[in-house]
Amino acid sequence: MDYKSSGVDIEAGNAFVARLKEKAPTIGGFGGMFKVPRGYEEPILVSGTDGVGTKICVCSRLNNYKTIGQDLVAMCVNDIITCGAKPLYFLDYISLNRINPKLDDIMTGIIKGCELAGVELIGGETAEHPMTFDIDLAGFATGIVEQSDIIDGKLIRKGDIIIGIESSGIHSNGYSIVNRLAREEKLKITDEYLTPTHIYTSLIEGLLNEIPILGMAHITGGGIPENLPRCLPDDSKAYIDYNSWNLPKIFQDIMSAGEIPEEEMKKVFNLGIGFCIVIPKDAETDAHDTIDAFGYKSWTIGEVVV
């Protein structure tokens, strides 16, 4: 008996790493290295880790893994930019039952996501686990921010407004409902359900250079009700007008297919808002103009009321 007959192909794994190093030459050691940028007086490192959840099941259903890597990067970097951090580097973990061409497609998406986020892929782990689930993904990102520039919501006051920035669709949350509806043949799954998550890094960097941002929230699992309060002071609350933007059709289809109550939809999906910023009222016009210049739609969706 050898390792290959047990389901682990070391040669295939080595060949994959060799191909990957052509695109990401800094990987390959036991630990990824990154030099901390100069110019910071009191640099704070900000780290985050996440996965793509059961969106990977849609990849399997459609046999399309070309964009899921971008989702993985997005779910990590979109979290760490909420405090004003600039993402620096990314690492991935991929577990699969055998080395196969899907892996190359996943890595292509990860590399593209890193390019969009302006980060360096400095390492990762590809684990071949025979006789287990098909594929699972996890990612890890680190960014940096000057301590005096950390955005923590402490300056938010009553009357500040909340701007919602468009999502590209479902992003990477709520897919357990999508998969169940697909299994029950109540929802037709198309490539639209694999539209990759927006990476907001360059947009937020541009906004930080133009307007005073007081708080930010990445709208993931739990929707606006669970994620927006995370950037507000403990004694503050926000009013959100869900009629201030049009509900994208993909969410209408899910809601109809599953006969899902509106309040449940709000607690599960982003409903078309992928990122929120809290700003002073007098910065509203400049904020929308800047967001528009970066190619995103935005709406004033609410305000801080307490």
Side-chain angles (χ1 to χ4, degrees):
M1 178 183 291
D2 59 16
Y3 215 7
K4 189 172 183 178
S5 66
S6 299
V8 179
D9 191 336
I10 295 177
E11 293 180 357
N14 289 340
F16 165 72
V17 173
R19 294 194 303 274
L20 182 57
K21 288 186 72 173
E22 295 177 1
K23 300 178 180 179
T26 59
I27 69 168
F30 286 100
M33 297 183 184
F34 192 93
K35 187 175 182 179
V36 177
R38 295 180 178 179
Y40 291 86
E41 295 182 2
E42 295 182 283
I44 301 295
L45 295 179
V46 183
S47 299
T49 185
D50 209 338
V52 297
T54 55
K55 188 172 185 176
I56 195 74
C57 298
V58 178
C59 296
S60 178
R61 177 179 291 273
L62 297 176
N63 192 29
N64 183 347
Y65 294 82
K66 295 179 180 179
T67 59
I68 196 69
Q70 181 176 328
D71 286 289
L72 184 63
V73 177
M75 296 305 290
C76 296
V77 298
N78 286 345
D79 275 353
I80 65 175
I81 63 176
T82 58
C83 67
K86 176 181 175 59
L88 297 174
Y89 60 80
F90 182 82
L91 298 95
D92 63 79
Y93 173 82
I94 304 174
S95 176
L96 69 172
N97 54 22
R98 64 183 178 84
I99 301 293
N100 59 64
K102 301 172 186 176
L103 191 53
D104 292 87
D105 285 344
I106 292 170
M107 288 309 308
T108 296
I110 288 175
I111 291 171
K112 180 178 180 181
C114 287
E115 291 173 352
L116 291 171
V119 301
E120 186 173 334
L121 178 64
I122 64 170
E125 168 68 5
T126 303
E128 191 173 16
H129 294 155
M131 296 181 291
T132 61
F133 44 80
D134 185 20
I135 299 176
D136 194 24
L137 308 179
F140 175 88
T142 294
I144 190 169
V145 62
E146 188 73 70
Q147 184 170 0
S148 60
D149 293 334
I150 292 174
I151 297 172
D152 56 12
K154 290 181 179 179
L155 298 179
I156 292 175
R157 298 290 183 266
K158 180 179 179 181
D160 291 329
I161 65 168
I162 300 157
I163 289 181
I165 303 168
E166 67 173 339
S167 68
S168 55
I170 306 178
H171 283 184
S172 197
N173 299 103
Y175 275 88
S176 293
I177 286 179
V178 170
N179 286 306
R180 177 178 175 180
L181 292 174
R183 288 194 304 269
E184 295 175 354
E185 298 184 347
K186 294 180 179 179
L187 187 66
K188 183 179 180 181
I189 303 300
T190 65
D191 282 341
E192 182 182 10
Y193 286 83
L194 289 181
T195 301
T197 304
H198 275 325
I199 291 176
Y200 298 102
T201 304
S202 59
L203 169 61
I204 296 306
E205 185 174 349
L207 283 168
L208 287 170
N209 289 332
E210 297 293 332
I211 63 170
I213 297 180
L214 308 175
M216 291 186 275
H218 180 203
I219 308 304
T220 55
I224 293 175
E226 289 192 16
N227 288 287
L228 182 60
R230 295 167 66 179
C231 78
L232 300 176
D234 291 339
D235 59 350
S236 295
K237 292 184 179 179
Y239 165 76
I240 300 297
D241 179 5
Y242 283 88
N243 294 315
S244 57
W245 75 96
N246 293 324
L247 181 67
K249 186 177 182 300
I250 194 168
F251 296 107
Q252 297 177 31
D253 292 343
I254 295 168
M255 186 175 181
S256 176
E259 299 180 348
I260 304 171
E262 183 177 336
E263 290 305 310
E264 182 69 12
M265 290 290 295
K266 292 177 182 178
K267 292 189 295 184
V268 175
F269 297 100
N270 67 61
L271 300 184
I273 301 295
F275 205 91
C276 290
I277 60 172
V278 183
I279 62 173
K281 175 67 176 175
D282 60 10
E284 181 177 9
T285 299
D286 288 342
H288 285 299
D289 288 346
T290 301
I291 294 168
D292 181 69
F294 275 84
Y296 292 89
K297 294 179 181 177
S298 62
W299 304 267
T300 299
I301 65 172
E303 64 177 319
V304 179
V305 294
V306 178

